[in-house]
Amino acid sequence: MTYRFIAALALVLALPFAGQAQGRGGQAAASPQAAAPIDLTGYWVSMVTDNWTYRVITPPKGDYLYLPLNADARRVADTWDPVKDEAAGEQCKGYGPIGVMRMPTRLHITWQDPNTIKLETDTGTQTRVFHFSGSGAASGPRTWQGYSVAEWQISGPRGRGGQAAGAPRTGSLKVSTTQMRPGYIHKNGVPYSENAVLTEYFTVLQDRGITILLDTLMLEDPKYLTQSFVHSAQFKKQADATGWEPSPCSAK
C-alpha cells in the first residue's frame, strides 16, 4: 500500500465525520483528552517517501514546479535571498507549519492540559499548540506557527443516539491554523501570505507492524495560490526520545 494512497484514504474517511464525543441525553462532553479516539502522543520520526529534493534539501531559487502559484507568488519566489532573511532575523520563514511538518524532523506530542495538545519539532525547534473549541481564542501578534483550533473527527459504527455500545473508537484530528506570519511553503522562497489558512487531518494507521502518524495538509491562500495546495507527511512511532536533537532555523 503506497503512502499517497493512505493519505487520500485518510482524508476521505475524515471529512464526513465531525464533532467531539458527547455524552448521552445531552450530558456534558468529556474533555478532549478523555474523548480522544486515537493516541497522538509520543515521539515520531519523519518518513520521507516523496518529493525528496524539496523536503530534504533546499531547492534552488526558481524551482517551484507543480505548485499552484499565481504570477505574484512566482515574482516573490524569484527574489528569494536567504542572506537577507538571516540578516532580518527571519530565518524561520520556511519553518511554519506547512514547511516544518514536511521537513526531515522528529515530533514530540503531548497533552499540555486536557484541552490542549502541544507538538514540538526538533528541526527548527518549533512548538505548535492545538486548542480545542472553547479553550481560548487567538490574541496577540501573528507567529510562525499561528493559532490552531482542533476538533476530533469521529468515525466508525454508530447506533441510535450516537456511538454504538462497544463499537471501536476511531477517527482523526482536524486542525485549522490561522494568524500565521507570512512564510515559505518551501525554503527557497515560495510564499504564503498572512491570510493563509492551513487545514490538517492527523490519522494514526498500522502498516506491516509499524505505527504511522499521517498528516494531510491543505493550504488555502487566495493571495498567492490559484487552488488549494495539498500534501501529506508521514511519521513513524518511536519507542523513546532516541535521536531527538533540537536545531535552530536556517534560511539556507
Side-chain angles (χ1 to χ4, degrees):
M1 183 181 297
T2 67
Y3 292 113
R4 287 188 179 182
F5 174 78
I6 291 174
L9 177 61
L11 180 57
V12 169
L13 291 175
L15 288 174
F17 304 99
Q20 295 176 198
Q22 296 181 350
R24 294 182 180 179
Q27 295 177 359
S31 71
Q33 183 176 10
I38 54 176
D39 183 13
L40 303 177
T41 62
Y43 287 91
W44 306 82
V45 61
S46 296
M47 302 172 67
V48 182
T49 59
D50 64 332
N51 293 338
W52 187 91
T53 55
Y54 289 93
R55 298 178 60 184
V56 176
I57 61 176
T58 301
K61 182 163 66 176
D63 187 352
Y64 37 71
L65 190 64
Y66 304 125
L67 291 176
L69 307 180
N70 60 24
D72 283 343
R74 291 191 293 272
R75 176 184 54 78
V76 172
D78 288 340
T79 64
W80 173 62
D81 185 341
V83 175
K84 287 185 178 180
D85 284 345
E86 293 274 1
E90 295 189 328
Q91 60 268 31
C92 289
K93 289 186 77 170
Y95 291 77
I98 190 66
V100 75
M101 295 301 291
R102 285 181 50 79
M103 292 180 184
T105 188
R106 284 177 167 80
L107 309 179
H108 183 211
I109 303 178
T110 56
W111 283 94
Q112 181 170 289
D113 58 53
N115 296 302
T116 314
I117 290 176
K118 181 168 68 173
L119 183 155
E120 301 169 276
T121 72
D122 65 349
T123 298
T125 319
Q126 298 296 301
T127 299
R128 304 183 63 189
V129 180
F130 301 158
H131 306 269
F132 283 80
S133 299
S135 60
S139 62
R142 295 176 183 273
T143 64
W144 295 126
Q145 300 306 322
Y147 187 86
S148 297
V149 176
E151 64 175 311
W152 292 118
Q153 304 277 293
I154 307 298
S155 60
R158 291 176 179 267
R160 292 183 178 180
Q163 189 78 21
R169 295 176 55 76
T170 59
S172 61
L173 180 68
K174 178 183 178 181
V175 177
S176 299
T177 301
T178 57
Q179 293 294 111
M180 294 179 286
R181 291 179 63 177
Y184 298 150
I185 295 174
H186 289 155
K187 284 183 65 178
N188 64 338
V190 177
Y192 60 83
S193 75
E194 68 276 9
N195 294 319
V197 177
L198 176 65
T199 303
E200 296 167 272
Y201 292 90
F202 292 86
T203 307
V204 175
L205 305 169
Q206 298 293 328
D207 184 28
R208 292 168 288 184
I210 300 173
T211 301
I212 297 170
L213 174 62
L214 174 66
D215 180 16
T216 302
L217 309 98
M218 296 180 290
L219 183 69
E220 304 278 350
D221 187 3
K223 181 173 182 178
Y224 287 132
L225 301 181
T226 59
Q227 64 185 57
S228 299
F229 173 66
V230 181
H231 267 279
S232 65
Q234 301 85 33
F235 303 87
K236 182 173 67 173
K237 187 71 176 282
Q238 293 187 276
D240 52 37
T242 300
W244 180 262
E245 295 182 2
S247 58
C249 299
S250 173
K252 300 178 182 178

